[in-house]
Amino acid sequence: MNAVNFFSFSGTVIAIEDFMAGNGEGCQQLMSVQNEQGEVVNFVITPMTYFVDHAMVLIGDRVTGYYDGDAPAILIYPPQYQALVIVKESPYQNVKVGYFDNQLVSSDGELMLNLSPYTAIILRNGQPFTRYPANRNLIVIYSSSTRSIPAQTTPSAVIVWC
């Protein structure tokens, strides 16, 4: 399994418009996100972009967009990236997107997962994932974590990015 080098950008959605690309008219959108420093990133939203909790995102919402930092990107301003995952901010949950090793520690060393029998482990399509989710790209949804290094959490859901 190849680890995706997930990069992220967080901010407020300032525009959403149709993005014309080939025959997919109406199937792709361009979502413009501006952070507190005034920097803007345009995310290309495709039918393959995963929206955590299938959240509907509107102008004015705070989001974090994740993209492959190793994928080729066109050199324009503002930068434009194909969004792999979009997370709409919520005060009730935290989300971590990244590669988790055989000990379920994220590649940046910031989060360690402690799975419980109540942790839903599913695929992006909502179907159960029946194996141990180690050494994979994961979308982790959790409410709280310890203040240790790495922080530890018992997630409510783990979405396996196959």
Side-chain angles (χ1 to χ4, degrees), residues 65-76:
Y66 292 87
Y67 58 96
D68 184 348
D70 293 333
I74 56 175
L75 297 174
I76 60 171

Side-chain angles (χ1 to χ4, degrees), residues 27-69:
C27 292
Q28 297 187 31
Q29 294 178 319
L30 199 62
M31 179 184 293
S32 300
V33 178
Q34 184 176 33
N35 68 11
E36 290 78 16
Q37 292 76 38
E39 300 167 323
V40 175
V41 163
N42 289 329
F43 286 114
V44 176
I45 308 297
T46 72
M48 296 306 297
T49 303
Y50 184 80
F51 281 75
V52 171
D53 294 331
H54 304 286
M56 182 70 66
V57 174
L58 304 170
I59 293 172
D61 288 340
R62 292 206 32 88
V63 299
T64 299
Y66 292 87
Y67 58 96
D68 184 348

Side-chain angles (χ1 to χ4, degrees), residues 5 13 32 45 51 62 78 85-87 97 106 108 112 145 152:
N5 189 15
V13 177
S32 300
I45 308 297
F51 281 75
R62 292 206 32 88
V85 178
I86 298 288
V87 179
V97 178
S106 61
D108 62 9
M112 180 176 179
S145 64
Q152 295 186 38

Side-chain angles (χ1 to χ4, degrees), residues 116-132:
S116 85
Y118 304 104
T119 302
I121 304 173
I122 58 175
L123 296 168
R124 293 187 321 164
N125 64 8
Q127 299 305 301
F129 182 77
T130 58
R131 298 183 176 265
Y132 189 63

Side-chain angles (χ1 to χ4, degrees), residues 92-109:
Y92 308 109
Q93 72 180 15
N94 299 299
V95 178
K96 176 78 172 179
V97 178
Y99 183 83
F100 286 76
D101 67 13
N102 62 344
Q103 300 295 312
L104 293 179
V105 175
S106 61
S107 59
D108 62 9

